[in-house]
Amino acid sequence: ALQAMGKLHQSWILSAGGVFEESRQSTEREDSQCEISPLVSFAGEDLEGQFPEVVKLPFYLPSQQELLEFSAASSAQTRRPFTH
C-alpha cells in the first residue's frame, strides 16, 4: 500500500512539473517514500507551481495546518518548565 500511494503521489508531482533527484522512484522503503498530505491535495489537484526545486526522496508535503500544529507542538516541548 505504501509503494502504491508513493508512486501515485510521485506521479502527481511529476504531472505538476516537479522533478525528482536522480530520477529516483518512490518505494515502500523509508528512505524512498513520497507522500502528499490529503489536506493539500486529495486527487492530485492544485499542485502546479508547488515544486520549484528538485524533489529529494524521502518527501512529504504537509499542509499549512500541519506545519502550524507541528510548530506549536515543537515550541511547547522546548519551553522551559515553570519554576514557580
Side-chain angles (χ1 to χ4, degrees):
L2 281 175
Q3 184 172 2
M5 184 180 356
K7 288 191 179 295
L8 175 64
H9 290 191
Q10 188 170 29
S11 74
W12 293 351
I13 292 169
L14 292 168
S15 293
V19 176
F20 284 83
E21 180 180 61
E22 299 176 8
S23 300
R24 287 187 60 197
Q25 296 292 311
S26 177
T27 69
E28 72 277 354
R29 287 181 37 181
E30 196 169 306
D31 66 343
S32 300
Q33 293 178 2
C34 181
E35 184 178 354
I36 297 171
S37 169
L39 299 174
V40 173
S41 181
F42 191 71
E45 72 283 355
D46 301 324
L47 294 175
E48 293 78 20
Q50 296 282 333
F51 310 101
E53 297 180 13
V54 173
V55 178
K56 297 178 184 178
L57 295 176
F59 179 78
Y60 178 72
L61 180 61
S63 70
Q64 290 297 324
Q65 180 181 349
E66 290 170 307
L67 288 173
L68 290 173
E69 289 174 6
F70 177 75
S71 177
S74 294
S75 64
Q77 292 174 355
T78 57
R79 287 187 200 139
R80 292 176 23 161
F82 289 108
T83 56
H84 300 100

